[in-house]
């Protein structure tokens, strides 16, 4: 079994981005800029945003956070997005998910210019993904693809099973696998006979959010196992997979923590850089 070491690859990626950012600044006088909009006081979102800001600072990406109280109106939020759409120093805009329940998240996100939609969650970028004309891709799924590429794990013609159909992980990831010529099955909460399906997987991805959801008997001998889940039990972070048992059967497996998680932020930084590079080309 080989451990898919997302932590090391993410470190490598961050160092690469840092060099590219310095180079862009020196040659073109452009500093990539990221605007993060957060609404309300969800404690997990607060930590995620803090980590994103810290990562940007490390690689010298200019990042700002705009934090609003839950009582902000939809129009005020849209006005803020429109402001960043026009702001020249900002290349990427992201609205930290989840928004408080009274907001229609997809509607809000649809106001971000496609060329600044750094999370790739807008209809424009999702449409391009579906049409196999990938532009800005969501950070978590793209980070997973980079991890597989790094370890030279082939995707084409493989049976890939993605469990979870969320807009941020399962759905875009499944299409990315399809665009890379895999045979893809998407399983979700209404799927029947899950074990029969997972046993077919050459590459098995779990993005459910339940500890020990994937047990060893659900995994084919030699499968590549990607665990996206982040679950907290007694102050410990674990994934969806029964790691210790499954590692005996898998050919490759991501640890949690240290697998998919660190790749997400590194990929976000790369996305901001790529958008800044486009700004330079359009100048
Ligand atoms: P979500 O709650 O939006 O989606 C969960 C998915 O699991 C749903 O599509 C649902 O259909 C599916 N599901 C639920 N019960 C199921 C069952 N019995 N059988 C099959 N499928 C079932 O969650 P999400 O936002 O996609 O996140 C999933 C997990 O990944 C969470 O633990 C989250 O914290 C984690 N996550 C990690 C990263 C990272 O960077 N590592 C990024 C995003 C999300």
């Amino acid at each position: 079994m080989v451990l898919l070491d997302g932590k090391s690859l993410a470190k490598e990626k961050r160092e690469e981005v840092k060099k590219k950012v310095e180079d862009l600044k020196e040659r073109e006088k452009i500093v990539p800029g990221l605007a993060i909009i957060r609404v309300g006081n969800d404690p997990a979102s607060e930590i995620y945003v803090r980590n994103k800001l810290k990562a940007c600072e490390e690689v010298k990406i200019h990042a700002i956070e705009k934090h609003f109280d839950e009582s902000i109106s939809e129009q005020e939020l849209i006005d803020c997005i429109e402001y960043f759409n026009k702001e020249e120093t900002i290349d990427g805009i992201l609205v930290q998910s989840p928004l408080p329940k009274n907001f229609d998240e997809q509607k809000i996100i649809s106001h971000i210019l496609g060329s600044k939609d750094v999370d790739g969650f807008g209809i424009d970028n999702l449409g391009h993904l579906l049409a196999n004309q990938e532009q800005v891709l969501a950070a978590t799924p793209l980070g997973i693809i980079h991890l597989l590429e790094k370890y030279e794990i082939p995707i084409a013609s493989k049976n890939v099973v993605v469990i979870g159909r969320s807009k941020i992980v399962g759905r875009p990831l499944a299409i990315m696998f399809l665009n890379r010529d895999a045979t893809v099955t998407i399983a979700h909460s209404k799927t029947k006979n899950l074990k029969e399906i997972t046993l077919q997987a050459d590459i098995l991805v779990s993005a459910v959010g339940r500890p020990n959801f994937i047990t060893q008997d659900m995994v084919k001998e030699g499968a590549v196992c990607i665990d996206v889940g982040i679950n907290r039990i007694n102050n410990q972070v674990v994934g969806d997979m029964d790691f210790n048992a499954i590692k005996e059967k898998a050919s490759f497996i991501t640890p949690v923590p240290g697998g998919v998680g660190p790749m997400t932020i590194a990929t976000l930084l790369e996305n901001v850089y790529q958008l800044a590079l486009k700004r330079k080309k359009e100048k």
Side-chain angles (χ1 to χ4, degrees):
M1 180 275 305
V2 176
L3 209 59
L4 295 169
D5 186 355
K7 196 172 168 193
S8 299
L9 179 58
K11 185 164 178 272
E12 234 175 76
K13 290 257 173 208
R14 288 198 307 272
E15 278 159 12
E16 260 173 44
V17 173
K18 187 174 177 189
K19 279 203 194 92
K20 292 192 286 192
V21 167
E22 282 168 350
D23 196 44
L24 190 66
K25 188 175 175 193
E26 207 175 292
R27 278 186 297 113
E28 309 291 341
K29 310 281 176 275
I30 284 180
V31 178
L34 172 68
I36 303 179
I37 300 171
R38 181 164 66 90
V39 183
N41 291 309
D42 177 59
S45 292
E46 201 177 324
I47 297 170
Y48 290 142
V49 169
R50 201 187 310 143
N51 290 342
K52 287 173 190 177
L53 291 170
K54 193 168 150 247
C56 283
E57 196 184 327
E58 270 170 30
V59 302
K60 298 184 179 157
I61 284 176
H62 161 64
I64 47 173
E65 181 194 6
K66 196 88 185 134
H67 178 221
F68 294 104
D69 191 77
E70 266 190 66
S71 61
I72 187 182
S73 72
E74 187 180 274
Q75 191 53 50
E76 281 172 288
L77 201 50
I78 293 169
D79 288 346
C80 175
I81 291 174
E82 300 290 2
Y83 168 79
F84 287 128
N85 278 341
K86 292 195 195 101
E87 175 53 53
E88 263 192 30
T89 58
I90 294 299
D91 299 289
I93 304 169
L94 76 80
V95 176
Q96 185 62 39
S97 180
L99 282 176
K101 288 203 167 30
N102 48 320
F103 291 98
D104 176 345
E105 205 160 295
Q106 196 61 48
K107 183 178 170 197
I108 300 288
I109 287 169
S110 72
H111 287 269
I112 301 174
L113 274 180
S115 57
K116 291 196 177 189
D117 170 27
V118 70
D119 266 339
F121 295 158
I123 297 298
D124 235 38
N125 281 313
L126 290 175
H128 280 108
L129 170 63
L130 202 56
N132 197 6
Q133 293 174 358
E134 297 178 352
Q135 294 199 353
V136 187
L137 295 172
T140 301
L142 183 57
I144 292 170
I145 298 288
H146 285 159
L147 201 49
L148 294 172
E149 284 171 354
K150 171 74 183 181
Y151 285 84
E152 298 179 352
I153 296 169
I155 295 174
S157 306
K158 297 294 173 191
N159 280 337
V160 177
V161 175
V162 177
I163 313 176
R165 56 175 162 181
S166 73
K167 192 189 67 184
I168 64 169
V169 190
R171 213 170 273 254
L173 179 60
I175 306 298
M176 286 180 210
F177 277 123
L178 182 63
N179 289 348
R180 287 158 184 76
D181 296 325
T183 302
V184 185
T185 306
I186 307 174
H188 49 78
S189 52
K190 298 279 189 281
T191 298
K192 291 206 172 107
N193 305 325
L194 185 63
K195 184 175 158 184
E196 269 173 37
I197 297 169
T198 58
L199 280 171
Q200 302 298 315
D202 301 313
I203 301 175
L204 177 62
V205 182
S206 183
V208 174
R210 269 201 229 166
N212 283 322
F213 182 72
I214 305 291
T215 47
Q216 194 197 41
D217 58 324
M218 296 169 78
V219 176
K220 184 167 106 169
E221 193 73 47
V224 176
C225 295
I226 309 289
D227 194 347
V228 188
I230 300 177
N231 308 292
R232 284 177 182 82
I233 314 179
N234 309 326
N235 278 337
Q236 240 203 321
V237 174
V238 298
D240 290 350
M241 298 192 178
D242 179 1
F243 180 86
N244 283 326
I246 291 174
K247 75 176 181 357
E248 304 300 330
K249 242 179 166 181
S251 55
F252 294 87
I253 187 166
T254 55
V256 178
V260 176
M263 291 302 296
T264 297
I265 289 201
T267 310
L268 171 70
L269 300 174
E270 174 70 29
N271 277 358
V272 180
Y273 167 77
Q274 290 298 337
L275 293 181
L277 206 59
K278 278 197 192 130
R279 160 154 63 114
K280 185 226 120 187
K281 284 185 188 141
E282 282 156 14
K283 248 185 166 182

